[in-house]
Amino acid sequence: MEQVGQRKIDGLWLTVVGIAVLFFLILPTLIVIPMSFSGASFLEFPPTSFSFRWYAAYFTSPEWMSATKTSLIAAVMTTAIATPLGSLCAYGLHCSAPRIRNIAQIFVIMPIVVPVILIAVGVFSLYAKLGLNYTLTGIVIAHTALALPFVIVTVMSGLQNYDFDQELAARSLGASRAYALWTITVPQVKFSIQTGAFLAFITSLDEVVISMLVSGGDNATITRRMFNSLRDQLDPTIAAISTCLIFVSISALVIISIFNRNQKNKDQL
Amino acid sequence: MSSTAQSLPIEISSLCKAYGPIKALDDVSLNIAAGEFLTLLGPSGSGKTTLLMALAGFVRPDGGSIRFGDQEMIATPPHKRGLGMVFQSYALFPFMTVAENVAYPLKIRGVSKSDQKTRVERVLDTVELGGYGDRRITQLSGGQRQRVALARAMVFEPRIILMDEPLSALDKKLREHMQIELKALHQKLDATVVYVTHDQREALTMSDRIAVVNHGRIEQIDTPERLYRQPHSFFVADFIGESISLPVTVANDTAQLGGRVLKSDLAIAPGSGGHRLVIRPELLEVMSGPVPENANDFSGRVNDIIYQGDSVLVIVEHKSVGMINVRVPANRAGQTGLPSKGEQIGLALHPEDTIIVPEQVS
Ligand SMILES: Nc1ncnc2c1ncn2[C@@H]1O[C@H](COP(=O)(O)OP(=O)(O)OP(=O)(O)O)[C@@H](O)[C@H]1O
Ligand SMILES: [Mg+2]
């Protein structure tokens, strides 16, 4: 009896700590939402009045809109390039000998481990030679390099749970390797690919450090502009933009999980 | 099945494949007749799967040749080899129905929708899964999945079918049932079958011929009966069936055990590393009288008697070679009466059953 009681107390402890951790993780994110609806002309919490004026300021400003467009285009293009490229890379690694795979994995993880500021400096100096600084192409290439590891790692873990004999079976039944990959393997790691795509999109959309150095002028990303604006004046427009970004990220996440849920239901029928 | 296709012979010569220091295939040569059911039998890691995968085109050999009929296949990609293949894991596509799985090879070959339907239905009937077309793979039992894999591998009437331990995931009873069914199915199909297993009983049950594989080499290729009665090496004798073995000395084609000449009708296969006498428990005869002149005498004292249902195992202690097992069918034991513990009995090993093998084939 005593033990059961002890376990209950332990359980309570865990719950309390768990909730506290969640709270501290989410709070800074959530605090920005009420601030964005403030009527005051400076960032204040809690807000004393309510208005949409900072949303209006955001959506009517040509500079903010241009930066938003740059960021969205960069994120979409990064996703469009990193997803197929990373998926194929994961497939290739999955098929190669364990020794090669292990070595390659170190290189794949590298961009995640190396401090981004180092990558940013490197990319900036290289782009200076290539004339890619302040161009959309430059941003997309750099963001793709950052996003690739996420796609590769998620798709590789998806492939781990997939019975690869199925692809061999398809090929023995007459399918070329590409056709077998497309009709048998891809449908079964679809969720991993979608998750990878989502991570690639968010990686690009959220990226600040490289964008600070490499983007600019007409091709400044929204994160760069936000950062600069924070430095100049504390403008609640930032809160409104942040709220929009949170909304976009969460929507993408929700869409992905709905996709996944439908897929699972279909498989269980 | 109606058949425009004809089964093809397979000719494998000097096939080699090394994984680092491991020779998975060590100069393998093997001819398989058209329409034959050939089994690759061997212990784990002996190279059976590697050989099968080389036939299928998934393993690229370091050297050698593979011919289907009169066509060299070594450079042909897997999807152009026209083989039906059944995997150990079945490798069914879980997101497709049974019918979609079976129709997959037909779809690739551009067969019309209506033709697909009739052929899928016919082949599902053949494997006794008529009416299961709309089921999901996850709704099937192990045995049913096995049948779907089989149906999918034969629906396009391949002339060669490869199977890698297709029954190993099934329980014993179902496995034995499927062995008989597969064999019957092979007689209906016009296809050459190459079958992999490490279960010697399964190999003996199903095969026209068995190739015993060891360390990437083929130790012996023969009919089940010859393999059992006339093994060429100690490895084969030991791997197939039950046996005990005793070292013997061989000179001038006669073998001696403890100074006595062994009478044998069977040729002693060439080899190295000394020779062994192989005694199978069911080939020894318990004599009621004295052991005849022309047989080898292994008489001794009964040490123990073990009842095993279909047979009785009598353990006899021979004064110079030690313990020898003798298997007596249960019904015969019932008729003639069993010896009792401690009793001295006559044991004869007849010359036609006296198997003497080299430790290693040359
Ligand atoms: N891809 C590979 N890389 C390295 N070694 C391999 C590879 N495939 C097989 N081998 C080695 O080659 C040898 C033969 O393997 P194979 O899979 O053909 O054996 P098998 O007879 O099918 O065994 P089992 O009955 O366990 O399936 C083994 O020693 C195995 O470790
Ligand atoms: Mg194997």
Side-chain angles (χ1 to χ4, degrees):
Chain A
M1 282 313 273
E2 217 167 78
Q3 273 181 354
V4 174
Q6 185 60 42
R7 223 183 290 157
K8 265 192 186 150
I9 293 171
D10 286 352
L12 197 68
W13 247 105
L14 262 183
T15 316
V16 169
V17 172
I19 289 176
V21 169
L22 274 181
F23 198 68
F24 282 112
L25 278 178
I26 297 176
L27 198 65
T29 313
L30 293 185
I31 218 167
V32 95
I33 297 175
M35 288 202 299
S36 72
F37 292 105
S38 156
S41 42
F42 47 89
L43 282 172
E44 62 169 6
F45 187 85
T48 47
S49 56
F50 178 88
S51 90
F52 283 115
R53 61 184 280 205
W54 302 113
Y55 285 90
Y58 170 45
F59 283 107
T60 53
S61 149
E63 287 96 47
W64 281 122
M65 282 298 106
S66 143
T68 307
K69 203 172 120 198
T70 303
S71 273
L72 284 179
I73 292 175
V76 168
M77 285 179 63
T78 299
T79 311
I81 297 169
T83 310
L85 206 61
S87 300
L88 282 175
C89 180
Y91 175 79
L93 287 176
H94 186 78
C95 294
S96 34
R99 202 156 38 101
I100 296 174
R101 184 166 54 220
N102 290 340
I103 295 170
Q105 248 161 354
I106 296 172
F107 284 97
V108 164
I109 306 290
M110 203 85 93
I112 303 182
V113 184
V114 174
V116 191
I117 186 75
L118 290 187
I119 300 180
V121 170
V123 168
F124 180 78
S125 343
L126 185 67
Y127 279 10
K129 287 216 167 70
L130 298 174
L132 280 173
N133 280 325
Y134 293 10
T135 65
L136 192 60
T137 317
I139 301 168
V140 170
I141 292 175
H143 282 183
T144 301
L146 277 192
L148 268 176
F150 293 106
V151 180
I152 295 171
V153 168
T154 43
V155 175
M156 272 187 84
S157 82
L159 282 168
Q160 227 125 62
N161 298 322
Y162 163 69
D163 171 19
F164 204 75
D165 277 353
Q166 288 177 36
E167 192 178 302
L168 299 189
R171 288 166 67 193
S172 79
L173 294 170
S176 67
R177 189 165 193 170
Y179 187 78
L181 174 63
W182 185 248
T183 57
I184 302 299
T185 306
V186 167
Q188 294 184 74
V189 291
K190 206 161 67 186
F191 177 63
S192 302
I193 296 175
Q194 284 165 356
T195 308
F198 168 74
L199 290 176
F201 185 82
I202 295 298
T203 302
S204 169
L205 198 64
D206 275 357
E207 206 287 318
V208 190
V209 183
I210 291 180
S211 298
M212 285 300 286
L213 286 180
V214 169
S215 84
D218 286 346
N219 287 319
T221 67
I222 192 150
T223 45
R224 178 191 159 93
R225 211 166 267 277
M226 282 168 81
F227 214 80
N228 286 344
S229 149
L230 269 176
R231 206 178 42 198
D232 301 344
Q233 86 262 31
L234 272 184
D235 183 341
T237 316
I238 305 262
I241 298 170
S242 302
T243 307
C244 291
L245 281 179
I246 293 170
F247 179 75
V248 169
S249 301
I250 291 179
S251 307
L253 198 60
V254 167
I255 290 169
I256 288 274
S257 14
I258 289 174
F259 257 137
N260 183 39
R261 173 106 43 88
N262 287 345
Q263 191 58 41
K264 270 200 182 132
N265 286 344
K266 225 163 90 190
D267 280 350
Q268 272 158 13
L269 272 181
Chain B
M1 303 208 84
S2 78
S3 190
T4 46
Q6 270 179 350
S7 59
L8 279 177
I10 302 172
E11 239 176 80
I12 301 166
S13 42
S14 310
L15 209 60
C16 293
K17 175 74 192 178
Y19 291 110
I22 300 167
K23 284 184 180 167
L25 295 178
D26 188 3
D27 196 22
V28 171
S29 296
L30 177 61
N31 286 336
I32 306 170
E36 187 172 13
F37 194 118
L38 181 112
T39 298
L40 302 173
L41 174 67
S44 190
S46 56
K48 307 180 296 289
T49 299
T50 307
L51 181 52
L52 206 72
M53 286 302 189
L55 287 178
F58 294 122
V59 162
R60 180 181 287 260
D62 302 331
S65 135
I66 297 172
R67 298 166 80 84
F68 296 167
D70 48 16
Q71 254 186 314
E72 177 60 55
M73 283 290 157
I74 209 91
T76 309
H79 67 280
K80 298 221 173 99
R81 295 198 181 191
L83 302 164
M85 194 157 180
V86 180
F87 289 77
Q88 184 170 6
S89 62
Y90 310 149
L92 296 172
F93 312 137
F95 60 102
M96 294 184 189
T97 63
V98 169
E100 284 165 351
N101 263 278
V102 178
Y104 187 82
L106 299 178
K107 208 171 105 191
I108 291 170
R109 286 169 173 75
V111 174
S112 75
K113 273 266 180 319
S114 59
D115 260 11
Q116 279 184 29
K117 197 160 178 289
T118 47
R119 285 173 72 173
V120 166
E121 272 168 18
R122 198 171 55 201
V123 78
L124 284 178
D125 279 339
T126 312
V127 297
E128 291 171 22
L129 279 180
Y132 279 71
D134 292 332
R135 295 273 191 110
R136 294 230 145 233
I137 299 303
T138 42
Q139 296 171 314
L140 301 180
S141 72
Q144 290 168 334
R145 288 178 200 201
Q146 214 287 319
R147 285 161 205 262
V148 177
L150 201 61
R152 190 180 64 180
M154 58 190 222
V155 68
F156 58 104
E157 292 171 9
R159 301 190 276 178
I160 296 170
I161 298 179
L162 309 179
M163 305 193 207
D164 192 355
E165 313 210 16
L167 304 182
S168 62
L170 305 179
D171 64 56
K172 186 165 175 288
K173 216 162 178 171
L174 190 55
R175 193 162 65 225
E176 282 167 3
H177 174 72
M178 285 302 295
Q179 286 168 8
I180 308 287
E181 252 182 58
L182 267 179
K183 193 174 171 161
L185 205 55
H186 169 245
Q187 271 147 16
K188 272 196 275 177
L189 294 172
D190 196 8
T192 309
V193 173
V194 183
Y195 189 96
V196 166
T197 182
H198 60 249
D199 178 345
Q200 46 118 349
R201 182 147 217 129
E202 186 165 298
L204 293 172
T205 305
M206 304 178 73
S207 324
D208 292 326
R209 283 193 306 160
I210 299 171
V212 180
V213 187
N214 187 26
H215 294 309
R217 294 163 150 273
I218 292 185
E219 289 256 346
Q220 185 173 356
I221 171 160
D222 248 320
T223 61
E225 193 189 344
R226 281 179 58 90
L227 213 55
Y228 181 80
R229 300 195 65 102
Q230 293 181 48
H232 287 175
S233 68
F234 175 63
F235 176 80
V236 175
D238 190 50
F239 195 72
I240 306 224
E242 236 184 299
S243 64
I244 61 160
S245 72
L246 303 164
V248 296
T249 52
V250 171
N252 304 326
D253 277 342
T254 50
Q256 294 198 350
L257 175 66
R260 276 191 307 160
V261 171
L262 285 168
K263 304 169 194 101
S264 173
D265 289 350
L266 304 173
I268 299 172
S272 57
H275 287 76
R276 285 181 163 265
L277 167 68
V278 174
I279 305 177
R280 300 203 188 277
E282 61 278 14
L283 294 181
L284 282 165
E285 191 183 356
V286 179
M287 309 301 296
S288 39
V291 173
E293 260 310 290
N294 65 349
N296 299 300
D297 188 345
F298 282 94
S299 304
R301 220 164 43 80
V302 176
N303 192 284
D304 204 357
I305 297 171
I306 300 164
Y307 182 73
Q308 291 185 323
D310 55 351
S311 64
V312 177
L313 201 62
V314 181
I315 299 169
V316 174
E317 187 175 353
H318 184 271
K319 57 183 181 306
S320 59
V321 302
M323 298 295 178
I324 299 174
N325 293 353
V326 187
R327 189 175 293 286
V328 184
N331 63 341
R332 184 129 53 91
Q335 281 160 19
T336 58
L338 280 170
S340 48
K341 260 191 213 180
E343 190 183 332
Q344 185 77 22
I345 58 164
L347 273 190
L349 182 63
H350 297 287
E352 67 268 28
D353 298 329
T354 304
I355 303 164
I356 295 155
V357 290
E359 292 274 5
Q360 265 143 32
V361 279
S362 51

